[in-house]
Amino acid sequence: DAGITQSPRHKVTETGTPVTLRCHQTENHRYMYWYRQDPGHGLRLIHYSYGVKDTDKGEVSDGYSVSRSKTEDFLLTLESATSSQTSVYFCAISESRLAGGNEQFFGPGTRLTVL
Amino acid sequence: TQLLEQSPQFLSIQEGENLTVYCNSSSVFSSLQWYRQEPGEGPVLLVTVVTGGEVKKLKRLTFQFGDARKDSSLHITAAQPGDTGLYLCAGVREKLTFGTGTRLTIIP
């Protein structure tokens, strides 16, 4: 199994509070991704990173920010959580660009509930 | 906008039966991946198909990429309870675009 951990694994928070989710990898992969998974929508890309301090938006980036100060860590922050951000969040990594046919490995997920 | 539609959304069949899951898009992808996801875990890659018309076999699972590289199918022969899970297709361009998923249940 690829060395990807996510913390916390479960979190319940209240509307309007800030929340930070952490993804940590031990594979030294260059690319890291944050997805959310909701019923009927599959997985949707929130943000991704192609190197330290290099990040870009995905298809559902509104209300989320990310930071990558080290190769191994990719943080996802909800500045002011809303109930629509209740979801399961997955981190993923890949060694190189996906268009080159490279495999993406997923972490175990974080279940976030915003009340 | 969901670019990849999977059908059926839910499928429950008896052990030993055959089944096919479809993944359709109006967009062309450089390759297409199939994942399986167990409850409480992240998706795990099963296969990547790259060439239009390509067929790959993984034991009892057969994956096909459409000639135009817009659609794909997953066929399972003699389904086993261990095949139960959520199956996701994902089209590859610069990033992955995931399908809506097919939740498969194999009844012993």
Side-chain angles (χ1 to χ4, degrees):
Chain A
D1 289 345
I4 311 168
T5 56
Q6 293 184 230
S7 59
R9 293 295 312 279
H10 302 271
K11 186 170 182 68
V12 180
T13 191
E14 294 190 347
T15 297
T17 60
V19 176
T20 295
L21 308 183
R22 179 180 183 240
C23 177
H24 179 79
Q25 59 143 331
T26 57
E27 305 296 321
N28 200 36
H29 281 6
R30 179 181 171 190
Y31 288 76
M32 299 185 75
Y33 311 81
W34 277 108
Y35 292 89
R36 59 178 290 173
Q37 185 173 34
D38 306 287
H41 290 277
L43 283 93
R44 291 179 292 175
L45 183 65
I46 304 171
H47 282 279
Y48 66 101
S49 169
Y50 45 95
V52 173
K53 296 193 188 323
D54 291 323
T55 65
D56 205 349
K57 296 180 180 180
E59 64 177 297
V60 290
S61 60
D62 287 348
Y64 302 94
S65 62
V66 290
S67 65
R68 192 165 177 205
S69 58
K70 298 185 289 186
T71 297
E72 58 266 35
D73 289 326
F74 193 31
L75 303 181
L76 176 71
T77 297
L78 291 65
E79 301 290 349
S80 177
T82 67
S83 58
S84 65
Q85 293 176 312
T86 292
S87 187
V88 181
Y89 291 86
F90 287 97
C91 173
I93 64 174
S94 66
E95 193 168 13
S96 187
R97 293 169 57 243
L98 295 178
N102 290 284
E103 183 173 355
Q104 192 170 83
F105 300 93
F106 285 83
T110 294
R111 183 172 295 276
L112 176 67
T113 302
V114 183
L115 301 175
Chain B
T1 302
Q2 187 60 258
L3 295 180
L4 277 168
E5 296 289 338
Q6 285 185 240
S7 61
Q9 266 194 295
F10 301 93
L11 184 57
S12 183
I13 64 171
Q14 295 287 334
E15 180 178 358
E17 293 184 352
N18 302 332
L19 66 106
T20 302
V21 175
Y22 299 93
C23 174
N24 294 299
S25 173
S26 57
S27 301
V28 176
F29 296 101
S30 59
S31 61
L32 195 135
Q33 298 180 335
W34 283 92
Y35 291 80
R36 184 168 75 199
Q37 185 178 15
E38 307 283 352
E41 299 180 8
V44 175
L45 181 67
L46 295 174
V47 76
T48 301
V49 285
V50 180
T51 307
E54 181 178 3
V55 176
K56 276 192 175 177
K57 292 193 174 184
L58 190 67
K59 297 183 180 177
R60 293 177 294 100
L61 278 61
T62 301
F63 304 86
Q64 184 163 9
F65 201 12
D67 291 340
R69 306 206 320 276
K70 293 182 180 180
D71 52 77
S72 181
S73 63
L74 158 61
H75 182 78
I76 301 179
T77 303
Q80 303 291 315
D83 296 327
T84 292
L86 178 66
Y87 288 81
L88 296 161
C89 65
V92 181
R93 286 198 283 257
E94 285 300 315
K95 299 180 282 291
L96 288 186
T97 300
F98 279 87
T100 46
T102 295
R103 191 165 296 281
L104 176 63
T105 303
I106 307 302
I107 304 166

